[in-house]
Amino acid sequence: MLTSIIIEHINCIRRVILSTISLFLVNTLSYAGDFKYDCVGDYSEGLAMVMIDGKCGYIDKAGGEAIAPDFGYGWEFRNGHALVANNRNKSPIEFRKDQYLNTISPIEDSCQYGLIDKTGKLVLPVEYDGIQVYPNGFYAIRKNGKEGLTDAAGTVIMPLDYDAIKYCSDSLLFSACKDGKWGYFDSNGQNVISMQYDEAGSFCHGLAAVSKDGKYGFINEKGETVIPFKYQTGGEFSTSGYACIYQDSAYLIIDRAGNTIHKINDCTNWISHGDDLVYYNIGKNKLKVIDLHTLDENVINCNSTIFIPFNSNSEWNITTRLSKRKYRRRLDKGMVIADKTSLYGVMDMNGTILVPFKYNNVRPVIDGRSLVSVLKNRRFTMGDQKMGIPPKYKSGFLDENGEKVISLKYDEANDYFNGVSLVSKKGKYGYIDKNGKVVIPLKYEDAHNFKEDMAAVKSNGKWGFIDITGIEFGCVE
């Protein structure tokens, strides 16, 4: 017994020593020198964009140059390719980084885009006004107001001859518009469904809503009309096999054969639906919810709703908001965040409050934690917002059951990634673990979330990188 106590005491001392050494390394060795980059991007596929002296290139995780700085700006790699732009007269902040994920729109007439591979070789020349990234290595290109389509090798599949091109299904069908009419093309650029529609939607579970002469119907991927053109709106079929459409002043839930399964006559204000539920306002502070899998109905005492998934491991819960807003996010399974008199909490389908309505913001659970915030300046008004005065928050975290695990003490906080959260106090940024322990001190002027075990950080006006232990890279030699 005494021996085991002594061993445990020794192990405790060892843990304290190791923790002290780790903290020493973070606070001393991490200061390898001043950072040298003017602007950086996050690591993606092992490479990160860096800018120095107005030129953009890419480095690997060891900090070595992977692609020479020959571009005006660059974005993250996706499927082996990265968007680049050559415009020396534009400051880095003017390039909207987030556009790479979906659409790259021209920011000014003189800005042109291209694509490079991971060796720096140009796959698409830097000459396009816009590039849109599609799944499976396809790219819509735009130039002089016209769009075309290329593959990952840069081979032109559809020439720059169309008004618009959209990705439509996992079967690699694309819709295209020319002279006001839409049709569908395969991945070889062949027109497989003729250009005859006024509007053409995406294929969902084998069917797409299309319109002719002001009426909507549904076609399959062979171009065959499955449901006649008789509706005032189109829609998308969910995994349950139903779609919600509008006809003759009423909303209808129809099946894939066009049969009306349910007619909604009591909608007084608005309606929305996702893969699993249809939900709409029926007046008198009441909301009706229809389960698209079972067609069961439930009435909730509330005026309008916001569906925000909170915890994907729990049963359906419903959010309420006593205001004129409609909804914010796409419906998904799990606990959902509720808003009541401008404060957020969580309540279930029976109105039972699971998390009190006392937060100004509640984020969905990510990596086991939900970010919550309250206003520090509670007298913040719409007038302040119009004057550009930002609201000030204090943020902390709940666990996946809605229990508070980290108190509301940070000026800024982010969702957890790689087991850590980026937080700030008094203008300094650092990282905490899921128990709220500071694992990288709050000492940076700015910082990004960890990605691929690396995070971009800023100190003394320059950017560099740290690994998950806090060791710094990208410093002046």
Side-chain angles (χ1 to χ4, degrees):
M1 179 67 176
L2 180 61
T3 301
S4 63
I5 293 175
I6 293 173
I7 292 174
E8 178 60 29
H9 184 66
I10 292 173
N11 288 334
C12 182
I13 294 173
R14 182 182 300 168
R15 286 193 294 269
V16 171
I17 293 173
L18 290 175
S19 177
T20 303
I21 293 173
S22 176
L23 185 61
F24 171 78
L25 290 173
V26 167
N27 284 282
T28 56
L29 292 183
S30 63
Y31 283 99
D34 293 332
F35 293 133
K36 61 182 178 181
Y37 299 115
D38 302 320
C39 181
V40 298
D42 295 325
Y43 273 91
S44 179
E45 299 183 5
L47 299 179
M49 182 281 294
V50 294
M51 179 177 285
I52 188 168
D53 297 330
K55 296 182 178 180
C56 162
Y58 291 81
I59 60 173
D60 58 27
K61 287 191 174 180
E65 181 182 285
I67 298 174
D70 294 329
F71 306 100
Y73 199 75
W75 282 258
E76 294 180 8
F77 273 89
R78 294 285 187 273
N79 299 318
H81 296 91
L83 179 79
V84 291
N86 269 348
N87 191 324
R88 306 295 184 183
N89 298 322
K90 186 183 296 297
S91 64
I93 197 170
E94 291 180 276
F95 286 96
R96 292 180 283 182
K97 272 181 62 178
D98 58 333
Q99 288 186 331
Y100 181 71
L101 298 180
N102 293 299
T103 304
I104 298 296
S105 300
I107 300 170
E108 60 179 36
D109 292 339
S110 60
C111 187
Q112 294 182 317
Y113 300 90
L115 283 173
I116 58 173
D117 63 18
K118 296 181 78 171
T119 69
K121 177 184 176 182
L122 280 170
V123 177
L124 293 176
V126 185
E127 62 180 31
Y128 297 104
D129 301 326
I131 296 176
Q132 184 162 346
V133 182
Y134 288 132
N136 301 301
F138 291 93
Y139 302 89
I141 51 177
R142 181 168 57 254
K143 190 174 183 179
N144 299 326
K146 294 294 183 181
E147 295 191 5
L149 188 72
T150 75
D151 62 15
T155 303
V156 175
I157 297 172
M158 296 172 63
L160 287 160
D161 197 31
Y162 299 91
D163 301 321
I165 294 177
K166 297 179 181 179
Y167 180 81
C168 286
S169 76
D170 292 335
S171 300
L172 297 182
L173 285 177
F174 300 86
S175 63
C177 179
K178 186 175 182 180
D179 299 327
K181 294 297 182 181
W182 288 83
Y184 293 86
F185 293 75
D186 64 16
S187 59
N188 296 313
Q190 297 298 313
N191 184 199
V192 293
I193 300 176
S194 63
M195 306 184 74
Q196 57 181 300
Y197 304 109
D198 300 324
E199 294 183 40
S202 297
F203 281 93
C204 293
H205 308 289
L207 295 178
V210 292
S211 71
K212 278 184 178 182
D213 302 322
K215 295 293 184 180
Y216 286 82
F218 290 84
I219 61 172
N220 61 22
E221 293 184 356
K222 296 179 180 179
E224 300 168 337
T225 300
V226 177
I227 300 175
F229 292 81
K230 60 180 180 179
Y231 303 113
Q232 292 170 254
T233 65
E236 293 184 353
F237 278 90
S238 66
T239 54
S240 62
Y242 299 113
C244 184
I245 53 86
Y246 189 75
Q247 184 186 33
D248 298 331
S249 302
Y251 289 96
L252 307 177
I253 298 175
I254 62 173
D255 64 17
R256 290 165 51 85
N259 301 311
T260 299
I261 304 301
H262 187 85
K263 187 174 183 179
I264 300 172
N265 294 309
D266 51 354
C267 178
T268 61
N269 188 4
W270 57 266
I271 188 167
S272 189
H273 71 95
D275 269 355
D276 297 277
L277 298 181
V278 170
Y279 45 102
Y280 58 94
N281 186 284
I282 59 175
K284 297 182 180 180
N285 295 327
K286 292 185 182 295
L287 172 79
K288 183 173 286 188
V289 181
I290 302 175
D291 187 323
L292 285 178
H293 292 281
T294 64
L295 297 181
D296 291 337
E297 298 183 9
N298 195 12
V299 175
I300 309 297
N301 291 321
C302 63
N303 187 32
S304 60
T305 102
I306 300 174
F307 284 89
I308 305 176
F310 180 73
N311 181 356
S312 60
N313 296 321
S314 62
E315 298 300 323
W316 269 112
N317 291 263
I318 191 168
T319 68
T320 66
R321 180 182 180 87
L322 301 182
S323 73
K324 292 183 180 180
R325 286 191 186 182
K326 296 181 181 179
Y327 56 92
R328 273 193 185 175
R329 302 188 186 186
R330 184 178 179 275
L331 190 63
D332 203 356
K333 275 193 173 181
M335 290 175 67
V336 292
I337 301 160
D339 176 36
K340 185 176 183 181
T341 61
S342 299
L343 291 176
Y344 288 83
V346 177
M347 64 189 299
D348 64 19
M349 293 286 282
N350 297 315
T352 302
I353 295 176
L354 307 177
V355 175
F357 290 84
K358 62 180 182 180
Y359 300 106
N360 293 100
N361 182 42
V362 179
R363 292 272 299 154
V365 170
I366 296 179
D367 205 6
R369 294 291 181 265
S370 167
L371 170 64
V372 294
S373 303
V374 296
L375 271 173
K376 182 180 179 183
N377 49 340
R378 289 192 174 273
R379 293 186 178 181
F380 180 77
T381 65
M382 292 299 294
D384 295 330
Q385 184 175 354
K386 291 179 180 179
M387 292 175 63
I389 301 173
K392 295 180 180 179
Y393 293 95
K394 284 296 182 181
S395 300
F397 290 89
L398 309 178
D399 64 16
E400 56 191 355
N401 297 314
E403 299 292 331
K404 185 187 295 184
V405 290
I406 299 174
S407 61
L408 301 165
K409 60 182 179 180
Y410 295 105
D411 300 329
E412 294 182 47
N414 290 263
D415 293 321
Y416 274 85
F417 294 95
N418 291 50
V420 296
S421 170
L422 170 64
V423 296
S424 76
K425 267 187 181 181
K426 298 179 180 179
K428 294 296 183 180
Y429 292 81
Y431 301 83
I432 60 174
D433 65 16
K434 290 185 180 181
N435 297 316
K437 178 183 177 182
V438 175
V439 292
I440 297 176
L442 281 67
K443 60 185 180 182
Y444 296 106
E445 298 165 9
D446 201 353
H448 295 180
N449 288 312
F450 273 93
K451 190 173 182 182
E452 297 188 359
D453 295 327
M454 303 289 285
V457 291
K458 185 179 182 181
S459 181
N460 296 323
K462 296 289 186 178
W463 286 88
F465 297 90
I466 57 173
D467 65 14
I468 202 70
T469 68
I471 303 300
E472 294 180 351
F473 300 86
C475 301
V476 177
E477 297 178 356

